[in-house]
Amino acid sequence: MTGNTYQDRTDRFAGMLMRQAAWPAAIVLTANVLAPLAASARGAFETLPAAIALSIAAASAVAVLALSALLAFDALLFRLMASHDDEASGGAAVDDMLARMRLKPAPFATRLLDDRMAGTSRLLFKQRAALALFAAALLAAGFWAPR
């Protein structure tokens, strides 16, 4: 992969990750501010199913926020990779940084960009699943709340 193609692809992926980390976190934070107001006004905490659904929503909100933070961190690592001229030096810089931060041991071989993108895409899927669980739990709490 040539330097410009590699850098453009990596930079585009990092930008996409930042957007994908931001909007679910914003939705969860907004809903967490508004949902308790609506739930207490309707008496949602008085029924057991609604309280359980709200507990599930709270747990999945934490998961969405944690995965959004991981995606933002990965986006910054991809930006670091994009600042290097080739894939090998960019991957080595990321591996070195992760080893110095003691987040991962130094690998024997540098992983390819496609492998790194695939791992981050799995994190993105987990974030979306947690966001779907959050939305479903909020809807369930609204369904079981007394009217």
Side-chain angles (χ1 to χ4, degrees):
M1 200 177 303
T2 63
N4 279 341
T5 305
Y6 153 75
Q7 288 173 332
D8 290 342
R9 183 174 173 215
T10 308
D11 199 41
R12 275 194 317 272
F13 189 72
M16 182 271 303
L17 282 179
M18 278 300 212
R19 286 187 300 279
Q20 298 303 319
W23 71 263
I27 288 172
V28 166
L29 289 174
T30 302
N32 277 333
V33 168
L34 298 177
L37 298 174
S40 64
R42 294 182 64 194
F45 298 110
E46 296 172 7
T47 64
L48 184 61
I52 291 171
L54 287 173
S55 298
I56 292 170
S60 60
V62 170
V64 169
L65 294 175
L67 289 166
S68 290
L70 283 172
L71 288 170
F73 181 69
D74 276 2
L76 295 174
L77 291 176
F78 279 106
R79 295 249 190 231
L80 174 65
M81 282 184 74
S83 69
H84 289 76
D85 290 332
D86 61 4
E87 184 175 341
S89 65
V94 167
D95 290 339
D96 180 56
M97 176 178 275
L98 291 173
R100 284 187 290 137
M101 293 174 74
R102 297 183 183 173
L103 295 175
K104 276 186 147 180
F108 295 111
T110 303
R111 288 179 24 214
L112 298 174
L113 178 63
D114 290 331
D115 293 340
R116 292 176 192 269
M117 286 180 169
T120 302
S121 295
R122 284 189 294 273
L123 274 179
L124 189 57
F125 175 77
K126 290 176 184 178
Q127 180 206 36
R128 296 286 169 78
L131 183 63
L133 179 61
F134 174 75
L138 277 184
L139 289 174
F143 177 77
W144 280 309
R147 302 206 192 289

